[in-house]
């Protein structure tokens, strides 16, 4: 090994066993979150259209999907493992309200391993045993292996730019940040969800909620905090928060109720009119009608729990239904909830296994186990701290010597009247 390589190692960050174990645990938790508690043991076809699940597109079984999305098919996690192993699979992450296509006529010549089909049956009989096509399933370009407005695969070996991809919560396609037409891309921890420009234009009611968007930039001018919305039409709107209420901008700082009145005074056709029945006002629309921020173009980034501020009056619900976005009002639809389910399943499984294992031990054995674990942890910390202080590389022989020494100490620590059994 060259001296330069050794110097590079000496200057690099040192890791101990617990760092590696924690890193491994983080990877496992990330994987569990992505899978969201999806069933990896049984095909989900019989469950029906699942609210959200991990899905894969099989291009080996459906090669025509690359050119014709009507030929596309999606398979659940369990089928990707058992039925389509070693096939060309496209990982779709999650799709909502989807039913597994593996046992259906979408893949006519392939037998789903989770459904009984006579092994000696011909291709025609296999086809005959297939389930009907899931008519409610929807397929976007991701099923053919391409993403974004640039219609490129991911990962893309021909793309010289390393760019993050973000999923739109409505069309569920993935977009490069540089293709979102947004002047400001918030940091990951600054937003919860994103809606692409195409979906915003198609679901026009979203423009009324532009005031909730987080893709804003704050600047300071003459000691005043000026918030500029980067997604507004034409010139940017300035809200000088720290100036007196009688400032020249006071007429721009209006409440939602005032904004609604202004719009109605301008003959704005609001779909939500306040109605009265027997003198009681009902079905009041809570849509903000933000006159200060007019949407121009680009994706919109939304904060956590922004959906809770969507109006739920009858008129607005009718709009959601017409636009096929009723799921925006479903608190369990979000990716955050999906990932939390995966993490809960992972932790429950881990702790259930640990609890069952401990339940088979006697009280004395449990005490010995805990003491042994703490002793090993302390010894490992001492072992790695020594190498870290001296900036030395841990070798295989060092590890073997450590456990040999540890075993010797254990034997010496046993009293003469104890028996030691080596298994």
């Amino acid at each position: 090994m060259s001296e330069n390589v050794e110097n590079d190692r000496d200057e690099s960050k040192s890791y101990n066993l617990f760092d590696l174990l924690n890193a491994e645990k983080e990877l496992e938790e990330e994987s569990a979150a992505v899978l969201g508690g999806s069933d990896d043991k049984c095909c989900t076809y019989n469950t029906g259209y699942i609210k959200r699940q991990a899905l894969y597109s099989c291009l080996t079984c459906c090669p025509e999907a690359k050119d014709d999305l009507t030929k596309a098919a999606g398979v659940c996690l369990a089928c990707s493992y058992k039925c389509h192993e070693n096939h060309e699979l496209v990982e779709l992450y999650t799709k909502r309200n989807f039913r597994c296509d593996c046992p259906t006529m979408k893949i006519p010549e392939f037998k789903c391993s989770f459904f009984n089909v006579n092994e000696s049956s011909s291709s025609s009989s296999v086809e005959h045993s297939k389930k009907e096509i899931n008519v409610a399933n929807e397929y976007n370009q991701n099923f053919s292996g391409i993403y974004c407005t640039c219609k490129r695969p991911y990962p893309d070996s021909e793309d010289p730019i390393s760019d993050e991809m973000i999923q739109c919560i409505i069309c569920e396609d993935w977009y490069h940040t540089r293709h979102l037409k947004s002047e400001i891309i918030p940091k990951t921890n600054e937003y919860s969800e994103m809606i692409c420009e195409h979906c915003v234009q198609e679901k026009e009611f979203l423009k009324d909620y532009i005031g909730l968007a987080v893709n804003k930039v704050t600047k300071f001018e003459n000691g005043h905090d000026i918030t500029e919305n980067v997604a507004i039409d034409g010139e940017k709107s300035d809200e000088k928060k720290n100036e007196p209420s009688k400032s020249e901008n006071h007429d721009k700082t209006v409440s939602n109720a005032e904004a609604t009145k202004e719009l109605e005074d301008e003959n704005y056709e609001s779909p939500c009119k306040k109605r009265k029945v027997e003198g009681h006002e009902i079905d009041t629309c809570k849509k903000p009608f933000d006159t200060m921020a007019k949407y121009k173009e680009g994706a919109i980034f939304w904060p956590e729990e922004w959906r809770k501020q969507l109006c739920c009056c009858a008129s607005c619900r009718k709009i959601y239904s017409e636009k096929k976005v009723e799921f925006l009002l479903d608190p369990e639809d979000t990716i955050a909830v999906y990932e939390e389910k995966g993490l809960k399943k992972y932790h429950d499984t881990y702790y259930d296994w640990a609890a069952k294992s401990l339940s088979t031990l006697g009280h004395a054995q449990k005490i010995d186990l805990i003491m042994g674990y703490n002793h090993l942890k302390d010894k490992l910390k001492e072992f790695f701290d020594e190498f870290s202080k001296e900036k030395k590389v841990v070798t295989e022989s060092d590890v073997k010597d450590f456990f040999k020494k540890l075993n010797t100490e254990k034997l010496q620590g046993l009293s003469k009247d104890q028996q030691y059994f080596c298994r």
Side-chain angles (χ1 to χ4, degrees), residues 176-192:
H176 296 102
T177 56
R178 66 184 187 274
H179 296 152
L180 288 175
K181 294 185 180 180
S182 182
E183 295 180 31
I184 298 295
I185 304 295
K187 295 179 181 178
T188 304
N189 61 351
E190 293 177 345
Y191 71 95
S192 177

Side-chain angles (χ1 to χ4, degrees), residues 48 52 88 155 243 319 324 357 367 369 389:
R52 187 179 290 280
E88 183 184 357
E243 289 191 359
I319 295 175
K324 298 181 178 180
S357 298
I367 298 298
L369 179 62
K389 289 176 183 178

Side-chain angles (χ1 to χ4, degrees), residues 68-82:
D68 184 0
L69 279 179
T70 63
K71 305 294 184 181
V75 301
C76 66
L77 179 64
C79 287
S80 74
Y81 288 159
K82 190 170 183 179

Side-chain angles (χ1 to χ4, degrees), residues 1 4-13 391 393-394:
M1 183 182 294
N4 290 336
V5 174
E6 288 189 7
N7 288 337
D8 289 341
R9 283 199 175 187
D10 289 344
E11 294 175 359
S12 66
K13 183 179 178 180
K391 295 185 178 181
V393 176
V394 181

Side-chain angles (χ1 to χ4, degrees), residues 56-61 75-77 79-81 83-92:
Y56 302 81
S57 173
C58 184
L59 298 182
T60 300
C61 294
V75 301
C76 66
L77 179 64
C79 287
S80 74
Y81 288 159
C83 307
H84 302 268
E85 186 180 10
N86 299 322
H87 288 195
E88 183 184 357
L89 293 174
V90 177
E91 184 177 1
L92 301 172

Side-chain angles (χ1 to χ4, degrees), residues 283-310:
D283 201 25
T284 303
C285 181
K286 297 179 181 178
K287 187 185 290 188
F289 298 110
D290 195 338
T291 58
M292 293 168 51
K294 298 178 181 179
Y295 175 83
K296 180 182 178 183
E297 65 174 5
I300 301 180
F301 293 82
W302 306 95
E304 187 176 357
E305 298 188 344
W306 72 278
R307 299 192 194 193
K308 290 184 177 180
Q309 300 187 58
L310 291 173

